Amino acid sequence: MKKILLSLLFFSFFTNLLFAQGASCATADPFCTENGAAFPASTNTTAEIGPEYGCLGSQPNPAWYYLQIATSGNLDIDLSNSANEDIDFACWGPFSSLAGACGNLTEDSPGCGLPFFPPCTGNLISCSYSLSATEQINIPNAVAGQFYMVLITNFSNLPTDIFAASTPASIGATDCTIIPPAGCFMSSLTANIGACEPGSVYTLDGTFEYTGAAAGGTVIVEVDNGTSTYTQTFNPPFVINQVFNYSIGNIPADGAASTVTVYFSADPSCNISIPYTATANCSCAADIGTFTVNYNGTPTVPTPGQIFTLCDGETFTVTPNGDYNPADEQFAPPGPPYLPGIGWLVYTCPPT
């Protein structure tokens, strides 16, 4: 068995927008390829019974699309994928309209057109079932206004993103007006607030997803703590319904009211945000505090910073005033309970 087909989303990327894939011919989605296309592949599905699939020995994980020709001429479409997995395709046409096309996906019988054989009446015009991770759909002599049906597959049944674009040598071109406008929409955002790290900083990580992308630019994840911003940037291609992982570190742990936002640089209004409270500061803020000193003897209480002498037989007491700030136990080290204390040094010197 050669492989497992991985269904592809084949859409217009002329606006850098991505669309949902058609799981059957009847639910095929439109696409155009003038500026390239990008789409995620589905897995664990099987193509419908009915169409004649030609060279495709198996058809798991189908993704169906249709295109309409805008400019007459030969049209070649290159296919590739991010995981370099084995992809395949079949293309039928031309059709004057989409009505009835799905019930008329046929291939020529062997030997058709030869003497004593039936005429060649099939409309399968391009097909590949090779082991290659790249393919090329060839549509010769396309005529403006005609429609073609395309099935794209990936034999590996593994997650991958598929890319398609018409070749520079193509004279024909597809009609991008059949693509319905798709608005930019951020569908989900999660945020995990990390613990305080050495240096009193923390890391924020999580995921985001969108079901519609802006045209061009980048995707930016931005943390704003009211004082500064901390960002991570994602470059195209923009693949819808894909879960993206982000991680932003070295954010000050100051307990500040903060916000994480994901947005498209080409359309900042297309965004999603989560407000949160930053991790608390974990730096050591220990303070010994103040003390009250009492003497029993002849010395008088000196002024602050004055050196004084305590004679033999005389005493003094030091009492904390309770305004100390003990050191925190940093970063939860293993071991016995942390019991910070204060040490005193008393020394003598020979009498003068």
Side-chain angles (χ1 to χ4, degrees):
M1 189 174 185
K2 175 184 167 259
K3 46 193 174 172
I4 300 175
L5 292 167
L6 200 57
S7 87
L8 318 178
L9 294 177
F10 202 81
F11 313 109
S12 168
F13 208 54
F14 74 106
T15 57
N16 290 328
L17 300 181
L18 303 173
F19 306 88
Q21 66 182 356
S24 66
C25 182
T27 60
D29 293 298
F31 71 86
C32 75
T33 59
E34 273 62 7
N35 295 326
F39 34 88
S42 65
T43 57
N44 303 317
T45 59
T46 303
E48 62 201 275
I49 297 174
E52 296 179 0
Y53 292 106
C55 72
L56 299 183
S58 60
Q59 312 90 38
N61 309 311
W64 290 88
Y65 304 92
Y66 69 88
L67 59 86
Q68 186 174 21
I69 302 302
T71 303
S72 299
N74 295 337
L75 176 62
D76 300 318
I77 302 170
D78 287 333
L79 302 178
S80 61
N81 69 100
S82 60
N84 288 322
E85 298 294 344
D86 180 7
I87 59 177
D88 304 290
F89 73 90
C91 178
W92 298 262
F95 303 100
S96 59
S97 72
L98 293 179
C102 289
N104 190 30
L105 304 181
T106 60
E107 60 177 310
D108 288 327
S109 58
C112 69
L114 298 176
F116 312 111
F117 281 84
C120 297
T121 59
N123 51 37
L124 179 68
I125 62 165
S126 190
C127 184
S128 176
Y129 194 58
S130 75
L131 297 172
S132 176
T134 60
E135 299 284 3
Q136 188 177 89
I137 302 174
N138 304 117
I139 302 178
N141 302 315
V143 176
Q146 294 179 334
F147 291 87
Y148 289 85
M149 299 300 303
V150 177
L151 169 66
I152 308 174
T153 62
N154 183 324
F155 200 79
S156 69
N157 198 36
L158 297 174
T160 188
D161 296 327
I162 309 303
F163 309 100
S166 56
T167 67
S170 294
I171 298 175
T174 57
D175 184 359
C176 290
T177 64
I178 66 174
I179 306 295
C184 179
F185 181 73
M186 289 287 182
S187 56
S188 69
L189 172 63
T190 65
N192 304 308
I193 307 170
C196 190
E197 304 167 9
S200 200
V201 296
Y202 71 98
T203 297
L204 186 77
D205 59 39
T207 63
F208 67 89
E209 186 177 355
Y210 45 81
T211 57
T218 59
V219 177
I220 298 174
V221 183
E222 180 179 280
V223 172
D224 186 342
N225 65 357
T227 303
S228 301
T229 57
Y230 307 83
T231 63
Q232 182 177 357
T233 300
F234 293 81
N235 296 312
F238 301 135
V239 181
I240 64 169
N241 298 319
Q242 173 178 316
V243 177
F244 292 83
N245 297 284
Y246 71 88
S247 180
I248 301 176
N250 292 316
I251 307 171
D254 55 8
S258 304
T259 302
V260 57
T261 303
V262 183
Y263 62 91
F264 281 90
S265 64
D267 184 7
S269 64
C270 181
N271 64 72
I272 187 172
S273 298
I274 294 179
Y276 70 96
T277 301
T279 301
N281 189 293
C282 58
S283 60
C284 183
D287 190 333
I288 197 172
T290 61
F291 301 85
T292 299
V293 180
N294 294 309
Y295 298 89
N296 179 18
T298 56
T300 58
V301 177
T303 59
Q306 180 181 353
I307 298 175
F308 65 96
T309 302
L310 189 68
C311 296
D312 187 31
E314 296 174 340
T315 63
F316 68 95
T317 59
V318 180
T319 305
N321 293 327
D323 55 355
Y324 59 89
N325 184 25
D328 293 328
E329 184 173 4
Q330 294 255 304
F331 317 122
Y338 181 64
L339 299 173
I342 297 174
W344 298 93
L345 175 63
V346 178
Y347 66 94
T348 64
C349 62
T352 59

